[in-house]
Structure formats: C-alpha cells, structure tokens
Amino acid sequence: KPSQMTIERAEALNDIDFEWVVKPHDDEAWQRRYEELKQFRARTGHCRVPYRFTENKALGRWVKTQRQEYKLMIEGKPSMMPFERVQALNDIGF
C-alpha cells in the first residue's frame, strides 16, 4: 500500500518538532521465541514449526515471519532481519 505521507505532511510534523524514531528491534521478545524454537527442535529434531501449531500458536507465527524476513533479505529487499539473527537461526539448523 502506498504511503500517505507527503512532503507537506512531513514538513508540518517537522514544524511541531515531531520526533522521527523508528521502533527498535524487540530483542527480548525475539530471544524468547528463539529459545522456544530451540526447545521445539530439541523435542522434534527439526525447526519446521507449523504455522497453525496448536501447542504454541505464537511460535508458529514467529517462525513464519522469520522465514519471510530471511527470504526478503536474500532477495535484496528491505528486511527487518539483522545478520546476527540469521547467524543464530543458522546455528540451530533453521
């Protein structure tokens, strides 16, 4: 979806000292899901968590998101996947 932000709107926000802050990565939440994935792998021997994993729906969604972000990164498209996270996922056979 195209952005509705125009130059005029950006200038108006700048005029009122709007702080342009990009939300940082939530490392704590990411690390929590990563630990859950490691536990899943220890139990099953793989990291292929189903998207509709009834035992932990959030983990299934998280894994799908990680795969999507990784694919974007590989394709050279904008991605929220820092290299450190790629390394961590690769370390457990993701």
Side-chain angles (χ1 to χ4, degrees):
K1 178 179 174 182
S3 173
Q4 302 218 353
M5 181 60 65
T6 63
I7 292 173
E8 293 80 17
R9 288 180 179 177
E11 288 173 351
L13 290 168
N14 285 335
D15 289 344
I16 61 168
D17 297 322
F18 181 79
E19 291 188 39
W20 297 93
V21 178
V22 176
K23 182 180 175 185
H25 295 290
D26 186 351
D27 288 329
E28 188 176 312
W30 191 91
Q31 193 62 39
R32 187 171 46 252
R33 292 286 181 252
Y34 179 70
E35 292 301 321
E36 291 173 3
L37 179 60
K38 287 183 1 182
Q39 292 170 5
F40 177 89
R41 187 180 193 290
R43 281 194 330 266
T44 64
H46 61 80
C47 293
R48 296 180 308 272
V49 181
Y51 178 67
R52 292 191 164 104
F53 183 46
T54 55
E55 189 177 316
N56 186 340
K57 292 178 184 180
L59 180 61
R61 288 188 304 268
W62 182 84
V63 165
K64 180 180 180 183
T65 299
Q66 301 313 298
R67 293 196 190 284
Q68 288 172 335
E69 291 298 322
Y70 179 77
K71 182 180 179 201
L72 289 171
M73 186 191 69
I74 293 299
E75 292 173 349
K77 296 177 181 175
S79 169
M80 299 297 289
M81 176 73 69
F83 183 71
E84 296 79 21
R85 289 182 179 178
V86 172
Q87 284 182 308
L89 290 167
N90 285 340
D91 287 348
I92 62 168
F94 189 70

